[in-house]
Amino acid sequence: GAFNDAPYILEKKLGNTNYHFLFVNWWGCCAGVCSTNEIRVGRSGTGIAGPYLDKNGLRLDQSGVQDIWGEYAGGGSVFLQGEGRYVGPGHAGVMEYVSKKDGEVKFVFTFQYYDKEDNGIGKLGGKELFFDGSRWPLLDFKPWDICDFIGCIYQPISGNLYNQSRPVRSAASSIYNCPWMIQRMYHAIS
């Protein structure tokens, strides 16, 4: 069957049900831009021990329940696949935080990927995590803004042709370059 590893379980109460979401890597990692990793998900509404079912009702702990690319694999709904510069996403993680911008409780879904636009270097990515009306997780289409978590102050770059801004250190933070923080965090833990 399909290769899988790096399970991650998120507990989240939605409505009156305490769900457990199981995120699992599928296929192959660790080959730079040749990596085929993707993250699949299932959920349990009966407790952490499961069973975990995907959106089609297939169990994640049983092999041979679906045919994917000629492989008889276990259940698991596709949650995050490679696209554009993001190759082989895997190794799920979720952080809950209070937004510095609007004070709301938010969730960021973190993952490792290989950057196709930067020689296949491994990096840490993040996207805001939401839940749809059917109580399944989904991701924002754009990368997560770490300044929502740490509170950056933006200043215009003088003489910049495109009139862009750059983040600078806020009084509450020791982080100077917010957009590069995710990459720095990755290198610090790798």
Side-chain angles (χ1 to χ4, degrees):
F3 303 124
N4 53 42
D5 73 336
Y8 177 83
I9 295 176
L10 170 67
E11 181 180 18
K12 175 79 173 136
K13 186 168 187 167
L14 298 168
N16 294 323
T17 305
N18 196 33
Y19 287 103
H20 291 84
F21 296 90
L22 175 61
F23 298 92
V24 179
N25 292 356
W26 271 41
W27 311 113
C29 82
C30 313
V33 295
C34 296
S35 297
T36 57
N37 246 13
E38 64 185 30
I39 299 174
R40 295 204 172 218
V41 67
R43 74 177 179 199
S44 169
T46 60
I48 195 166
Y52 288 87
L53 307 176
D54 67 14
K55 291 180 180 181
N56 295 317
L58 301 175
R59 289 178 63 138
L60 272 67
D61 64 342
Q62 293 180 343
S63 63
V65 296
Q66 63 178 328
D67 183 1
I68 301 173
W69 302 339
E71 296 278 341
Y72 292 100
S77 299
V78 173
F79 181 69
L80 182 61
Q81 291 179 307
E83 63 177 330
R85 76 182 308 158
Y86 302 94
V87 176
H91 301 276
V94 176
M95 180 181 77
E96 180 179 355
Y97 69 99
V98 176
S99 168
K100 297 285 188 185
K101 293 179 182 176
D102 60 24
E104 292 185 24
V105 173
K106 295 185 178 181
F107 296 87
V108 62
F109 183 87
T110 60
F111 55 95
Q112 67 90 51
Y113 69 97
Y114 299 96
D115 192 340
K116 188 163 118 179
E117 296 177 12
D118 193 10
N119 298 314
I121 293 174
K123 296 183 179 179
L124 179 66
K127 293 187 176 203
E128 192 169 344
L129 178 70
F130 301 95
F131 293 87
D132 68 16
S134 298
R135 300 180 177 151
W136 283 98
L138 55 101
L139 295 174
D140 196 345
F141 66 94
K142 63 186 181 300
W144 176 61
D145 180 6
I146 195 167
C147 293
D148 190 42
F149 173 58
I150 63 172
C152 300
I153 299 169
Y154 288 88
Q155 292 182 347
I157 300 172
S158 62
N160 186 301
L161 181 63
Y162 301 104
N163 196 24
Q164 294 176 339
S165 297
R166 71 176 176 87
V168 296
R169 187 177 125 192
S170 71
S173 171
S174 63
I175 298 168
Y176 290 87
N177 257 334
C178 299
W180 311 113
M181 182 56 192
I182 290 176
Q183 186 175 359
R184 287 182 183 168
M185 286 169 50
Y186 175 78
H187 289 296
I189 61 175
S190 63

